[in-house]
Amino acid sequence: MKVIWIEVLRFLKNNIKYIISGALLFGLILGASSYFLDRGNPNLEVRNENTLVDGDGKSAIFNFYIENQDGTVYTNTSIIEQYMLMDKTLMELNNFTETDVYKLFQKELETDYSRTPEDRGVLGVLKNPYSQRMSIVSNTGNEEDNMKIVQYFSELMKNNQIDFLETKNIYYFEDPMLVESLDTSSTIINDEDDDLNITSIIIRVISGMVLGIVIVIGIVLMKALFSKNLNYSFSYSWDENDIFFLSDSKLDNSKELKQFVNFPIESNKLIVTENRTEAKIHEFLSVSNHDNLKFLNSITEINSLDSIGEVIILIQSNVTSRGWYKKQRRALKLINIPIKIVQINN
C-alpha cells in the first residue's frame, strides 16, 4: 500500500504544473463562458407576463446612503427589503397609509412573481453599485399610494424607528419623489441579485477547476499508461506470482534492496536490464556475492536457464522502454522460473 501511495504522489508531483494549469484554464473558461452565455441568452432573462398591479401611475422613489459607525459603507439592501416586506411591517404600512400594499404583495407571492434587478415588484430596495446609493421604490400602480408608502419609510428612517439602522449614519439626497421610469439598465441593481450572480460565477469557476483537474489527470494518466518508457509501477503489468520491489529515496530501503537481490544466497540469478552496464549494476545494487549473478540486456540472449534459480528484471523509471519490457515478458512466458521485478526511481 505504501508503494502505491508513493507512486501516486510521485505521479502527481511530476504532473502538478499541468494539473494546476488545466484547473485554472478550465475554471476561467467555464466561468467566463457561462457568464457571457447567460447574459446573452434571451431565454434566461426573467420576464413577468402577468400583470401585478392595475394602473400605470408613476413609481415613487426615496434615495439615501448609509455608513457604518466606522465609516465603511453599509450595503445590505437585502435585510432592509426583508424588513419592509415582513407581514407586521406591511400591515402597519397598510393601516397607516390606507393603501392596498399588503394585498398587492400577497398577490405577488401567490403568482410567483419573479423579481429582477430592474423590477422589485410592488415594494423593494435597489442599489447603485458605483455610488452605493440605495433607493426604496414603490410601484402599486397608483401614484398617490406610491408617494405615501415611500414617505412612510422616509419618516421611519429619519426618526430612527428602524432598529437595525439606529446605529448607522444615514444621508438623504432628496425628498421622496415620483419618477417616470427607473434607469436600472446599467447602474441600479439589488445586492441580493448581485450576490447571486457573483456566487453563480464562483461556483462555475470552481466546477470548471474540478473538471479541469479530472480531465488533466485523466490525460496524463493515459499518457503514463501508454508512454514509450516505463515510469510508474502502475503503468505496466506483471504476473501475480512475480515479486515486486520499489527502490525509492523516500523509502530509504537500500539495505532491503540488497537483501531482496541476494536472497536466497545459494540461488544463481539472472539480472536483465536494458540500460546499465554490469559494473554500474553491481555498484547500485551493492551486492556482496557476484559469483551467483549473471547480467544480460535481454532474456533472449541466454542459451540455457538450467543453472538459473530466478530472473530479476531491473527497470529504471522513465528510462526502460515499454517495448523492451514487453519483449522480456513474452520470452518469460515460456519459462517456469521465479521472477522478481525491481523498479528504481531516479
Side-chain angles (χ1 to χ4, degrees), residues 142-290:
N142 184 291
E143 294 180 1
E144 184 178 351
D145 288 350
N146 289 336
M147 282 297 295
K148 288 180 181 180
I149 292 168
V150 295
Q151 285 175 343
Y152 174 80
F153 285 110
S154 171
E155 293 299 319
L156 287 183
M157 295 177 68
K158 291 178 179 179
N159 294 327
N160 291 324
Q161 292 180 281
I162 300 178
D163 294 342
F164 61 89
L165 295 179
E166 287 182 356
T167 60
K168 311 298 180 185
N169 299 317
I170 305 177
Y171 304 90
Y172 307 100
F173 293 93
E174 61 268 318
D175 293 328
M177 59 183 176
L178 294 172
V179 291
E180 191 69 42
S181 63
L182 296 176
D183 183 15
T184 59
S185 59
S186 60
T187 58
I188 300 179
I189 61 173
N190 179 273
D191 71 319
E192 184 177 6
D193 297 276
D194 191 37
D195 290 342
L196 287 173
N197 290 335
I198 294 174
T199 301
S200 177
I201 293 172
I202 292 175
I203 291 174
R204 287 165 176 167
V205 169
I206 294 175
S207 300
M209 293 178 69
V210 173
L211 178 62
I213 290 173
V214 172
I215 291 176
V216 173
I217 288 179
I219 292 173
V220 294
L221 180 59
M222 293 299 292
K223 182 180 178 182
L225 293 176
F226 296 98
S227 61
K228 181 179 179 181
N229 296 330
L230 306 179
N231 199 357
Y232 309 100
S233 60
F234 56 77
S235 66
Y236 57 94
S237 61
W238 57 82
D239 191 88
E240 60 181 9
N241 295 321
D242 296 346
I243 304 174
F244 179 83
F245 187 94
L246 178 67
S247 175
D248 191 282
S249 59
K250 290 184 175 60
L251 291 171
D252 190 23
N253 58 356
S254 57
K255 291 183 179 180
E256 289 87 347
L257 174 60
K258 182 178 178 180
Q259 294 173 350
F260 182 81
V261 173
N262 283 317
F263 184 84
I265 297 175
E266 66 277 4
S267 174
N268 292 324
K269 302 170 178 61
L270 173 62
I271 297 181
V272 185
T273 180
E274 182 183 21
N275 306 99
R276 287 182 182 269
T277 63
E278 182 175 334
K280 288 184 178 180
I281 296 172
H282 276 291
E283 180 183 352
F284 180 82
L285 297 179
S286 300
V287 289
S288 56
N289 184 9
H290 297 175

Side-chain angles (χ1 to χ4, degrees), residues 296-331:
L296 290 177
N297 291 115
S298 176
I299 192 70
T300 57
E301 295 178 3
I302 194 167
N303 295 322
S304 175
L305 291 171
D306 293 341
S307 62
I308 301 299
E310 64 181 22
V311 174
I312 300 175
I313 302 177
L314 187 63
I315 295 174
Q316 301 172 69
S317 63
N318 208 29
V319 176
T320 301
S321 68
R322 188 177 300 276
W324 175 88
Y325 177 74
K326 288 182 176 180
K327 183 179 180 180
Q328 308 313 306
R329 298 304 313 193
R330 286 195 298 268

Side-chain angles (χ1 to χ4, degrees), residues 77-141:
T77 59
S78 295
I79 195 65
I80 298 176
E81 186 171 277
Q82 290 174 30
Y83 164 79
M84 292 166 51
L85 298 176
M86 292 192 325
D87 283 350
K88 179 182 177 182
T89 305
L90 288 175
M91 289 298 293
E92 293 175 352
L93 171 63
N94 207 83
N95 295 333
F96 188 86
T97 60
E98 297 181 345
T99 62
D100 291 330
V101 63
Y102 178 82
K103 179 180 178 181
L104 289 172
F105 182 65
Q106 293 305 310
K107 178 182 177 182
E108 181 178 326
L109 295 178
E110 292 170 1
T111 56
D112 293 326
Y113 191 83
S114 299
R115 292 187 164 219
T116 70
E118 295 80 16
D119 181 1
R120 302 309 296 169
V122 174
L123 180 63
V125 182
L126 303 174
K127 182 184 69 176
N128 186 304
Y130 304 108
S131 66
Q132 304 302 327
R133 183 192 69 188
M134 298 183 185
S135 305
I136 293 177
V137 181
S138 175
N139 181 29
T140 65

